[in-house]
Amino acid sequence: MPELPEVETIVRGLEAAVVGRRILAVQVLLPKMALAPVGVQFAPALVGERIVGSRRRGKYAVLLLASGRRLVTSLRMTGRLIVGDEGDAPYPATHVSLRLEGGLRLSFADVRTFGRMRLVEPTEAWDAALGLEPLSRDFTPERFTAMLSGRTTPVKVFLLDQRRLVGIGNIYACEALWGARIRPSRPGKALTSPAIRRLRDAVVDVLARAIELRGTSIDDYVDADGLAGGFQNRLSVYGRAGEPCSRCERPIVRTVIAQRGTWWCRTCQR
Ligand SMILES: [Zn+2]
């Protein structure tokens, strides 16, 4: 499932490939994947629009359009945004296809069809329910302390809650907690000030390092050029049950917290 570093990588790829181009034709092959505001038809509304920017918000890829509308894509489990040549064979499991100026095609493909591409009006606060960006200046230890105050949920569950912090999924939550030496089941309110600071730094560090390596390809994430990321080779705990912890050499364990597999080290995460 693409998390912040993977979506950031995709968005940067789109910035390079499609920003500045006009949309010439739109094909929707599976209507539930392409949503539009009431009274607006997805495909006709997009034809003639120019793509003027490419941004990420949480785990969403956002294409800014010249009209002020935005095309917001949620990739969910297996969604992909792939740029290719117009003449190439259609990308497998493509549900929405945008033909662009310059002989390019932007395909929204999704084997499991949980993802969505949504056209959003300029005034619509589509992201109002989303929380703080962990790579923004606002993610300070003070702010994080206030967010965790009084929280009885396990800190790992808190990290996954997109209403609090955005972009962190199972992989980077496990990795950040290992980096900060914090037991994933600890209630948020039980973290000391130094632990909160370590966790804040670990979140920022793991996300930044993963972006540098163009994301983690464990299931089937690929970037806008169809290439895999490189961070799967740098994971410290995620998916590594039974392997030695690189800090203390004790075996990494897998437990379940809130129905999600959780990888961590019983010895050095307290
Ligand atoms: Zn350890």
Side-chain angles (χ1 to χ4, degrees):
M1 175 184 275
E3 303 181 26
L4 188 154
E6 291 75 44
V7 180
E8 181 68 30
T9 303
I10 290 167
V11 158
R12 289 180 185 185
L14 294 176
E15 175 83 37
V18 307
V19 168
R21 295 182 196 270
R22 193 178 293 275
I23 300 169
L24 302 179
V26 177
Q27 205 181 4
V28 176
L29 299 152
L30 186 61
K32 75 166 185 180
M33 307 289 289
L35 309 175
V38 176
V40 176
Q41 283 188 293
F42 184 88
L46 280 171
V47 172
E49 279 272 21
R50 189 178 294 279
I51 300 170
V52 296
S54 174
R55 303 273 187 280
R56 180 193 55 75
R57 175 79 173 103
K59 301 180 193 174
Y60 295 85
V62 183
L63 289 176
L64 311 178
L65 306 172
S67 66
R69 282 174 166 161
R70 283 148 292 171
L71 193 56
V72 177
T73 304
S74 151
L75 299 165
R76 296 292 302 278
M77 306 290 288
T78 53
R80 293 175 171 190
L81 284 170
I82 303 280
V83 180
D85 285 328
E86 200 185 323
D88 293 350
Y91 198 79
T94 293
H95 305 302
V96 183
S97 170
L98 277 61
R99 190 158 65 81
L100 306 175
E101 263 177 350
L104 293 185
R105 184 179 299 282
L106 173 60
S107 302
F108 175 35
D110 188 349
V111 171
R112 296 183 65 178
T113 74
F114 290 127
R116 293 292 180 269
M117 195 173 237
R118 194 153 85 84
L119 185 60
V120 172
E121 295 289 12
T123 52
E124 193 181 335
W126 69 274
D127 64 344
L130 294 180
L132 191 64
E133 287 286 342
L135 294 181
S136 74
R137 286 169 194 277
D138 296 336
F139 185 43
T140 59
E142 295 72 29
R143 184 85 180 263
F144 197 24
T145 302
M147 291 163 73
L148 286 163
S149 156
R151 299 277 161 201
T152 54
T153 47
V155 61
K156 188 197 166 206
V157 176
F158 179 90
L159 289 177
L160 297 176
D161 186 346
Q162 303 297 303
R163 296 168 302 178
R164 314 291 170 206
L165 276 178
V166 292
I168 302 169
N170 210 20
I171 295 174
Y172 299 109
C174 291
E175 293 296 309
L177 287 163
W178 181 85
R181 304 170 193 236
I182 295 169
R183 182 181 287 255
S185 60
R186 285 273 299 274
K189 67 175 186 179
L191 299 186
T192 62
S193 295
I196 291 172
R197 195 170 280 271
R198 287 201 310 274
L199 182 54
R200 185 248 165 227
D201 291 349
V203 163
V204 171
D205 175 69
V206 74
L207 294 175
R209 285 190 295 121
I211 290 171
E212 251 172 61
L213 290 175
R214 306 174 58 79
T216 301
S217 291
I218 286 183
D219 298 321
D220 49 12
Y221 153 75
V222 291
D223 68 13
D225 297 315
L227 303 173
F231 199 69
Q232 61 278 8
N233 305 315
R234 306 292 175 87
L235 295 172
S236 298
V237 285
Y238 184 87
R240 307 192 62 163
E243 293 180 38
C245 168
S246 62
R247 221 164 24 208
C248 72
E249 298 185 354
R250 303 290 301 161
I252 290 156
V253 296
R254 178 188 185 277
T255 59
V256 175
I257 297 176
Q259 287 122 47
R260 305 293 300 275
T262 303
W263 288 264
W264 57 290
C265 175
R266 282 190 198 281
T267 310
C268 55
Q269 289 178 253
R270 294 292 174 179

